[in-house]
Amino acid sequence: MRDIRPITDPSRPKVYIETYGCQMNVNDSEVILSILQDAGYALTEDMDEANVILANTCSIRDNAEQRIWGRIDQFKLQKRKRDNVVIGIVGCMAERLKDKLLEAVDIVAGPDSYRTLPDLLAAVRPDRPQINVLLSHEETYAEISPVRMDRNGVSAFISIMRGCNNVCSYCVVPYTRGAERSRDPYTIVREAQELFENGYKEVTLLGQNVDSYYWKDKENADRNVNFAQLLEMVAKISPEMRVRFSTSHPKDISDEVIYTMAMYENICKHIHLPVQSGSSIMLEKMRRKYDREWYLERVRKIRSVIPDCGITTDVIAGFCGETEQDHTDTLTLMEEVVFDSAFMFAYSERPGTLASRKYPDDIPYELKTQRLNEIIALQGRMSLKSNEKDVGKRMKVLVEGPSKKNPDELCGRASSNKMCVFPSRGEKAGDYCEVEVVSVTSATLLCKRIND
Ligand code: 5AD
Ligand code: SF4
């Protein structure tokens, strides 16, 4: 069996990788490590001994980039302490800022150029920084087997597509990750199978918009694969291996996907369905291509087919021109849906996006923050309400490890993605446990063992 864990070889030059941003970046770092291991490097978790320091970066909001600028200053201190340290910025920020980063670092590589990292590293000199920010219409790193860097060997990410063809007016991703392309489904199934053989119990299929996954077979159109079919192919590997996916787009999530989820016990009953705003006027300006009613209909459809489906979301507060009424529309939608949890953000204008060119970022900082705080407070109440409905229910939990607060308890996620805590009977990460919910907080289901 091929080893999917980092190799340890003290004689090799060392690479240290920090990852920022989304799950997709976590997986990209594993692809980068695979490419660099093949080129003779080995991973280190200690920056002080690294020959190469890489930051895999995110540009989604300005504060994400500011944080990384702070880290670059830290990396540069390493250069003062030791000779021959190479610093590289890869990923979305590399793609967005391109040669503007060359004054600060030695290597700049965009999300589609990771195969060239060994060449860039070979060519780099103190006075000769290297850059490759070409975007591709084909690159999916399909046959590269990511080297897994997660801690517990239970749950892994698999990229099923790259890029994004939506042009949400606030979003920088189409510019940093390029056009959408789907990965060969047979390489996806092979990767999932290999993870299962290595003891993994859960895979999460990743894409900016998984519902638009579509693989066209060059020879036989009958062998084309859509997302629902891909889900089924991965679910069939083993009933013991859970399948999750992220992110769904409200305009594209199909009934076929919802029915496929319902058919397989091991496809987790959780959909991350970013709404962004509850106001149809804002959604139009955001170019989301659905309105409030469409979103609510999709939620009703999901719940009619899968009554206990976890639904989570993303919300942006204070988008351009947002009125009190638009903000109230977001709050009332959240009350109507009762999301299990949400990622909530203040709008951050990103240079080059449609919104930055067309609409002034005109909601004052204080008002944006106030609206965001109202959204966060309301979501806290909704999470609690959603969790309270689970009291008395039985759940099958995949153990992640000991709970942080009490080593005699275990934690793990239910199919809905809710975090459960319960007394240990000596199980370990990767085991399944049946539990019953006894009480809840807004973040956790506190459970007892069945037959306790
Ligand atoms: N400002 C604030 N939040 C944003 N997101 C994307 N772009 C921006 C932006 N410019 C949020 C969206 C998206 C999540 C990944 O990040 O909610 O779903
Ligand atoms: Fe991921 Fe988007 Fe950040 Fe890029 S900009 S790392 S795609 S969250």
Side-chain angles (χ1 to χ4, degrees), residues 325-446:
Q325 183 58 52
D326 295 320
H327 171 57
T328 306
D329 287 349
T330 296
L331 298 175
T332 58
L333 179 132
M334 291 170 68
E335 280 177 324
E336 197 168 332
V337 176
V338 192
F339 293 108
D340 300 320
S341 67
F343 296 110
M344 298 155 283
F345 312 103
Y347 172 59
S348 164
E349 185 178 82
R350 306 312 291 130
T353 56
L354 194 78
S356 76
R357 283 179 273 136
K358 243 180 119 178
Y359 309 119
D361 179 13
D362 54 1
I363 307 302
Y365 174 80
E366 291 71 27
L367 187 55
K368 251 186 217 173
T369 313
Q370 185 193 320
R371 288 180 182 169
L372 177 61
N373 287 339
E374 282 173 32
I375 288 170
I376 292 171
L378 174 61
Q379 184 51 45
R381 297 196 292 279
M382 294 301 108
S383 296
L384 184 62
K385 188 171 170 184
S386 157
N387 288 352
E388 279 168 348
K389 281 202 339 210
D390 288 337
V391 173
K393 285 189 190 157
R394 292 184 165 198
M395 316 244 155
K396 183 175 167 186
V397 178
L398 177 59
V399 176
E400 287 178 12
S403 100
K404 282 189 201 90
K405 289 190 190 138
N406 179 351
D408 296 332
E409 291 188 324
L410 297 173
C411 69
R413 287 182 190 274
S415 176
S416 65
N417 210 37
K418 288 184 183 180
M419 182 54 86
C420 300
V421 174
F422 49 94
S424 170
R425 286 181 185 161
E427 291 90 346
K428 54 187 190 322
D431 290 343
Y432 287 104
C433 292
E434 295 281 343
V435 301
E436 186 180 312
V437 182
V438 177
S439 64
V440 301
T441 70
S442 63
T444 314
L445 307 181
L446 307 165

Side-chain angles (χ1 to χ4, degrees), residues 44-258:
T44 175
E45 292 185 355
D46 178 5
M47 182 162 69
D48 287 327
E49 65 161 22
N51 306 85
V52 178
I53 298 174
L54 297 181
N56 189 4
T57 59
C58 175
S59 290
I60 197 97
R61 284 167 290 277
D62 184 56
N63 56 13
E65 287 196 359
Q66 293 313 323
R67 217 174 124 210
I68 291 158
W69 280 112
R71 281 308 282 166
I72 293 175
D73 290 338
Q74 297 288 310
F75 297 160
K76 281 186 175 162
L77 292 179
Q78 292 284 329
K79 266 186 176 302
R80 289 209 212 119
K81 282 198 262 179
R82 296 181 288 131
D83 287 339
N84 300 325
V85 179
V86 172
I87 301 176
I89 295 293
V90 306
C92 289
M93 196 171 156
E95 194 62 49
R96 196 181 84 73
L97 293 173
K98 299 187 169 61
D99 49 5
K100 291 192 195 98
L101 281 165
L102 283 178
E103 278 163 34
V105 299
D106 307 299
I107 287 189
V108 176
D112 287 345
S113 67
Y114 298 148
R115 283 180 207 263
T116 67
L117 275 172
D119 293 340
L120 299 177
L121 283 165
V124 76
R125 299 286 177 276
D127 55 344
R128 235 192 314 145
Q130 300 290 313
I131 178 166
N132 184 352
V133 287
L134 286 178
L135 287 174
S136 153
H137 283 279
E138 283 93 37
E139 180 63 272
T140 59
Y141 301 110
E143 78 305 341
I144 292 179
S145 295
V147 176
R148 301 296 168 178
M149 290 192 258
D150 59 279
R151 297 239 169 248
N152 65 4
V154 172
S155 185
F157 297 123
I158 302 182
S159 284
I160 63 164
M161 59 208 294
R162 299 184 72 82
C164 185
N165 279 358
N166 297 319
V167 269
C168 302
S169 60
Y170 51 80
C171 188
V172 77
V173 172
Y175 307 95
T176 61
R177 287 195 168 253
E180 181 184 291
R181 61 226 103 116
S182 295
R183 175 178 170 191
D184 181 333
Y186 303 98
T187 67
I188 296 170
V189 171
R190 206 182 311 135
E191 193 172 311
Q193 175 87 44
E194 187 173 56
L195 284 162
F196 184 63
E197 285 161 9
N198 276 273
Y200 282 77
K201 293 289 178 58
E202 183 173 83
V203 293
T204 304
L205 308 182
L206 295 178
Q208 294 293 343
N209 175 5
V210 290
D211 304 292
S212 65
Y213 175 89
Y214 199 74
W215 171 257
K216 287 194 186 132
D217 192 285
K218 287 194 187 74
E219 276 126 45
N220 183 354
D222 290 342
R223 284 164 57 96
N224 290 357
V225 177
N226 68 16
F227 181 59
Q229 292 163 326
L230 177 72
L231 256 184
E232 183 163 34
M233 286 161 73
V234 179
K236 278 180 168 166
I237 291 173
S238 167
E240 282 294 296
M241 188 167 70
R242 283 182 163 183
V243 188
R244 296 185 180 276
F245 56 89
S246 186
T247 299
S248 301
H249 197 303
K251 81 175 161 62
D252 292 319
I253 184 166
S254 66
D255 291 355
E256 192 188 354
V257 166
I258 300 169

